[in-house]
Amino acid sequence: MKAIIPVAGAGTKLRPHTYTQPKALIPLAGRTILSIIVDQLVEAGITEFVFVVGYLGEKIQHYVEKKYPQLTCHFVQQNSREGTGHAILLTREVVANDEVLIVLGDTICECDFKEVIASPYSVLGLKKVDDPRNFGVAELNEAGQITRVVEKPQIPKSNLALVGLYKIKESAQLYECLQANLDNHIKSHDEFQLTDALECMIEHGVRFNAFKVINWFDCGRKDTLLETNAILLKKYKLASNPVLPYENTIIIPPVSIGEGCNIKNSIIGPNVAVGDNTVINYSIVKDSIIGSFSNLYEVVLKSSLIGSDANIRGLSQSLNIGDNTEIDLG
């Protein structure tokens, strides 16, 4: 089995951070979105990965090759972003006829991946949502099999959303449907959707079972990213990395602090993740993500997302600051 992770998106909802950093590499609970996904799959026994890269794809490749040298990794370039269906179709030659586990690169799922992989049938991950109109939606029969999937329906017949987790045994049929949709210009919402290819497979008799995930975290926007950071910090039970005590500083767990940080005269936490080699002095930070090599002096931050190499002086309440930024609020 090969794992396919599409990470070619530009991450426009997370700008300015994604001007300089792929969305999948944004820090989260002391890790990155991508490393959390890959680690889950490695723990489940997968050793071969296919990454669909595009925007800032060289950073993805460098990160993966450095962090996971033991894995067999392929990188497929998606030069024009035409949807998830188009992205998966580009992996056809690499996958051949192997089974695939597709995990979208901007969502984190809590589930038993070993159980998903062991299923004798193709499986789609589902989660109940309040408003399914913004998601792919699955309809089930009484036996729990999926009878129909549709992308972002205006009038949903189900509240079960596709969470971005797809185990496909019949990969040959998947690629045939993807190619047929491309050849016939079958699009939903102006893109070639993976959901439409799955519906094509269902219409041709492929059986899909439903797999309901425990939790599903959307990391595509600032507010949901900060919420996910707080939940995962609690899950990982992080206080801080084992480093020397910080001078005149109070740490309120859960907090993740990277290596080489210099923190003085501050209150950090709860729900804060700080990158490596960051300096914080005379500051209060809570419910925030701070990048690496940043400098914070005399600031009060809450619900903030600060990129790497940022310099902030003064007083503030909520910021969304990208990499290589300097701000003086004094």
Side-chain angles (χ1 to χ4, degrees):
M1 173 175 285
K2 294 183 175 73
I4 301 175
I5 305 181
V7 284
T12 55
K13 294 179 181 178
L14 277 174
R15 286 177 175 166
H17 305 276
T18 48
Y19 282 125
T20 56
Q21 191 80 289
K23 178 168 58 175
L25 297 187
I26 287 179
L28 186 65
R31 301 159 76 180
T32 65
I33 297 171
L34 184 60
S35 70
I36 293 173
I37 296 171
V38 172
D39 290 346
Q40 286 178 317
L41 301 184
V42 169
E43 186 178 350
I46 294 180
T47 60
E48 189 165 2
F49 289 77
V50 185
F51 298 91
V52 184
V53 298
Y55 178 72
L56 300 176
E58 69 282 354
K59 289 192 173 184
I60 295 281
Q61 184 167 348
H62 176 76
Y63 176 85
V64 169
E65 290 176 343
K66 182 178 180 181
K67 186 172 179 63
Y68 300 102
Q70 77 280 15
L71 300 179
T72 301
C73 296
H74 311 270
F75 299 89
V76 177
Q77 186 74 26
Q78 185 185 25
N79 293 319
S80 58
R81 295 187 298 274
E82 300 182 54
T84 53
H86 176 253
I88 301 303
L89 181 58
L90 295 173
T91 68
R92 188 173 195 169
E93 291 186 6
V94 177
V95 169
N97 291 319
D98 291 341
E99 295 183 16
V100 294
L101 181 64
I102 302 170
V103 183
L104 300 186
D106 59 357
T107 56
I108 296 171
C109 296
E110 283 189 342
C111 66
D112 189 339
F113 279 96
K114 291 182 179 179
E115 182 180 344
V116 173
I117 293 170
S119 171
Y121 303 103
S122 291
V123 173
L124 304 183
L126 304 178
K127 180 73 173 175
K128 287 184 179 180
V129 296
D130 294 331
D131 186 358
R133 291 175 297 176
N134 294 321
F135 306 97
V137 174
E139 299 173 20
L140 276 60
N141 62 18
E142 294 180 356
Q145 296 178 19
I146 297 173
T147 58
R148 183 171 182 254
V149 290
V150 58
E151 184 68 22
K152 298 177 181 176
Q154 288 299 308
I155 305 177
K157 295 184 179 180
S158 162
N159 65 347
L160 293 172
L162 299 169
V163 302
L165 170 61
Y166 318 83
K167 180 267 183 79
I168 311 292
K169 292 180 66 70
E170 302 85 354
S171 60
Q173 289 94 321
L174 170 66
Y175 288 111
E176 287 173 4
C177 283
L178 288 169
Q179 188 64 58
N181 288 351
L182 187 68
D183 293 342
N184 295 298
H185 303 285
I186 297 175
K187 294 184 176 183
S188 294
H189 307 280
D190 297 321
E191 290 187 335
F192 294 105
Q193 303 286 354
L194 176 58
T195 306
D196 292 333
L198 299 176
E199 176 61 21
C200 168
M201 294 175 69
I202 293 171
E203 291 174 354
H204 285 82
V206 175
R207 173 174 172 174
F208 283 94
N209 282 3
F211 185 88
K212 296 182 180 180
V213 302
I214 302 169
N215 283 312
W216 171 35
F217 306 113
D218 180 5
C219 303
R221 303 188 311 275
K222 175 197 169 188
D223 54 347
T224 56
L225 187 67
L226 292 174
E227 289 173 9
T228 300
N229 182 63
I231 292 170
L232 293 182
L233 283 171
K234 292 182 178 72
K235 175 180 171 61
Y236 300 150
K237 297 180 180 179
L238 294 173
S240 66
N241 291 341
V243 294
L244 295 174
Y246 302 109
E247 180 181 337
N248 195 31
T249 292
I250 298 173
I251 303 294
I252 305 173
V255 169
S256 170
I257 299 176
E259 297 180 358
C261 291
N262 184 352
I263 302 176
K264 300 178 182 178
N265 311 307
S266 298
I267 301 175
I268 309 298
N271 307 321
V272 173
V274 181
D276 297 338
N277 301 296
T278 283
V279 177
I280 302 176
N281 199 0
Y282 292 106
S283 297
I284 301 174
V285 183
K286 68 176 183 178
D287 301 315
S288 298
I289 298 173
I290 312 298
S292 300
F293 296 96
S294 292
N295 289 274
L296 279 61
Y297 182 77
E298 290 186 341
V299 297
V300 178
L301 295 180
K302 63 179 180 181
S303 304
S304 297
L305 183 56
I306 309 298
S308 299
D309 297 299
N311 289 278
I312 305 172
R313 297 175 62 90
L315 182 65
S316 63
Q317 291 297 324
S318 179
L319 293 175
N320 189 11
I321 306 297
D323 295 353
N324 303 296
T325 302
E326 182 169 350
I327 294 178
D328 188 341
L329 294 169

